[in-house]
Amino acid sequence: MLETLDAAAVRRWCASGLAALQRHQGEIDDLNVYPVPDGDTGTNLVLTLTSAQQALAMDLETLPDDGHTPHGHALRLMARGALLGARGNSGVILSQILRGLADALAAAPAVRGRQLAAALADAATAAYAAVAHPVEGTLLTVVAAAARAAEQADTDDLRAVARAAAGEAARALARTPEQLPALARAGVVDAGGRGLCLLLDALVEVVTGESLARPAPAPPAVRPPATAVRESGSPAYAYEVQYLLDATDEAVARLRAELDDLGDSLVIVGDGGTWNVHVHVNDVGAAVEAGVVAGRPHRITVTRFADQVAPAAPLPTPLPDGRAAVVVATGAGIAELFGAEGATVVPANPSTGELLDAIRATGAARVVVLPNDPNTQSVASAAAREAHRLGVKVSVVPTRSPVQALAALAVRDPKRRFEDDVIAMAEAAGACRYAEVCHASREALTVAGPCRPGDVLALVEGEVHLIGADLLDTCTAMVDRMLGGGGELVTLLCGADAPAGLADRVREHVERSWPFVEVQAYEGGQPHYPLLVGVE
């Protein structure tokens, strides 16, 4: 049993929390407010905490000269790793919870009960601050409840405070369907809150030594590896070297000059003590040795560009005024459409670090990001904040569907001021109503009535509007309902599993029923959704 939370306990907590999330990954993925087959909160939390654990995979006994305690240094590494690996709203909020804990405990001589309670309060504040429009009945509610219970425990007993926080978090999770109607209709609790409860339970296990009964672990999800491609920079350099570095500001200034002489595409990003170093070189040993001289490098990765599979399409040349667009896309056809518009395409469900890499790779000083999914908007905002540290101005247009991104890209004009161009893109995206059709993955009660597995669901602006038995009939009825509110242009994106001729038959229906409406149809290739629709 622990009286205080030390660096070794932080490492055990991260490892135990990650193991718990991996065991329950599928369960959390299934806690989806809609009966659609793409719930991924559990996966996002696992990937976020995996990045945090990787940041901790080093000798914590040697610390940078910044006055932090060993446990504070460990928490900062954990929080930084979570930020760079954050995926989805849940991952971004979790990274902010860890950041709040780290900021509050970094300089504390010892972490006992009252210190943990105060840190949880700061973590809850940081989590709420990360969300533009906080909603109760979510992960935010659960962390706030845990913080209040920890404070009300009013003791220096670390074990009592950890138990109080975890217990109240579980009770708050059980109440989330009462606070959020979408959860009540789906018959589930909040997925992100469930993940936080697992992490707090893992903390209780670490500080008390009490093992919790758990079901047999499920096989971990396999994520395909990302394909590395050359960023902007001279082809004269054959290797990309990246590592995290613990060093002082002065040492990093010397390192920057040394690496600049060794290669190009040099980027060094830091938030005080921990830095992310990226450079293209020919002499890998010299680049790593320079890091050793400057401080403590870890998570070293070396990529030989010649070994990489060539990308499907080259990165776009930055616009003459130094502008670029980064778009998140699911499906090969959708990616090709965005590439044809001159955008840099990032695969679906990216981490903060992956979006930041794409922004850097454009070589542009002003970048607009189109996330195309509500869960990715928080990740895009986090990447934008990180990019600002590099001197790159990034604006996020909150697109929620690829059809909105197509509308936004269509009005882009490099002759306008960047700020005016972003406003025009946001207005075009907002004027495009979007919808999607999929098959129900489970039984549920929606605002359109009950559905059963296999039913065809038509979601307009994220809400179930129609439930049908026939795919084509449901698609045409959905388009009719949307055009009933006005519209001059319909965009159809056919999914990977769409039956042959679906788009043609929907187009024919629109031409018969709405003769003054233009229809554009493309092969999108997106999974899960046979048809995406935009109406402008």
Side-chain angles (χ1 to χ4, degrees), residues 30 32 58 69 78-79 118-119 137 147 174 228 275 330 342 376 400 454 479 488:
D30 288 341
N32 198 7
M58 61 173 291
T69 60
M78 184 176 173
W275 307 82
T330 302
T376 307
R400 301 167 72 87
V479 173
E488 300 175 350

Side-chain angles (χ1 to χ4, degrees), residues 22-64:
Q22 288 172 329
R23 283 193 296 269
H24 295 271
Q25 180 175 337
E27 169 204 327
I28 299 174
D29 280 343
D30 288 341
L31 294 176
N32 198 7
V33 296
Y34 286 122
V36 296
D38 60 350
D40 55 5
T41 299
T43 301
N44 287 342
L45 290 173
V46 166
L47 293 170
T48 300
L49 207 62
T50 295
S51 181
Q53 188 183 47
Q54 289 171 347
L56 278 170
M58 61 173 291
D59 179 8
L60 294 173
E61 299 302 319
T62 303
L63 304 176

Side-chain angles (χ1 to χ4, degrees), residues 391-525:
V392 181
K393 186 172 185 177
V394 178
S395 292
V396 178
V397 174
T399 52
R400 301 167 72 87
S401 170
V403 293
Q404 290 186 318
L406 290 172
L409 291 171
V411 303
R412 197 165 46 143
D413 184 356
K415 296 179 182 178
R416 283 193 291 247
R417 291 175 59 247
F418 178 69
E419 293 77 8
D420 293 338
D421 207 28
V422 170
I423 291 173
M425 294 175 71
E427 289 175 345
C432 178
R433 286 168 289 142
Y434 69 94
E436 53 214 358
V437 178
C438 68
H439 289 90
S441 58
R442 60 177 173 82
E443 186 173 346
L445 180 62
T446 75
V447 295
C451 70
R452 294 171 297 180
D455 283 349
V456 181
L457 305 182
L459 294 85
V460 180
E461 306 282 333
E463 193 71 76
V464 177
H465 275 223
L466 295 170
I467 301 173
D470 182 81
L471 178 62
L472 177 61
D473 289 346
T474 306
C475 289
T476 55
M478 177 183 68
V479 173
D480 286 343
R481 179 168 294 194
M482 296 178 74
L483 287 174
E488 300 175 350
L489 172 65
V490 173
T491 301
L492 306 175
L493 296 177
C494 270
D497 299 325
L502 177 64
D504 290 337
R505 297 180 70 180
V506 174
R507 182 207 296 270
E508 292 168 0
H509 170 82
V510 173
E511 290 173 347
R512 287 194 308 269
S513 303
W514 307 90
F516 299 106
V517 174
E518 180 184 353
V519 182
Q520 296 178 343
Y522 306 97
E523 291 295 329

Side-chain angles (χ1 to χ4, degrees), residues 4 26 59 74 96 112-113 118 120 129 221-222 234 258 261 267 272-273 298 340 351 365 404 414 456 481 514 530:
T4 65
D59 179 8
Q96 294 308 294
R112 295 187 173 88
L120 283 171
V222 178
S234 170
E258 187 170 350
D261 290 336
V267 178
H298 53 105
S351 68
Q404 290 186 318
V456 181
R481 179 168 294 194
W514 307 90

Side-chain angles (χ1 to χ4, degrees), residues 280-374:
H280 294 179
V281 295
N282 286 324
D283 192 341
V284 174
V288 175
E289 181 62 26
V292 173
V293 172
R296 173 177 292 275
H298 53 105
R299 284 181 62 186
I300 301 169
T301 62
V302 178
T303 301
R304 182 173 180 263
F305 291 116
D307 293 338
Q308 303 310 308
V309 178
L315 290 175
T317 302
L319 297 174
D321 64 352
R323 301 184 193 182
V326 173
V327 189
V328 179
T330 302
I334 293 175
E336 289 179 7
L337 289 172
F338 290 143
E341 292 290 338
T344 296
V345 179
V346 179
N349 196 30
S351 68
T352 305
E354 288 170 344
L355 268 182
L356 180 60
D357 286 345
I359 292 168
R360 285 189 332 206
T362 66
R366 288 169 288 183
V367 178
V368 62
V369 177
L370 306 172
N372 294 339
D373 176 64

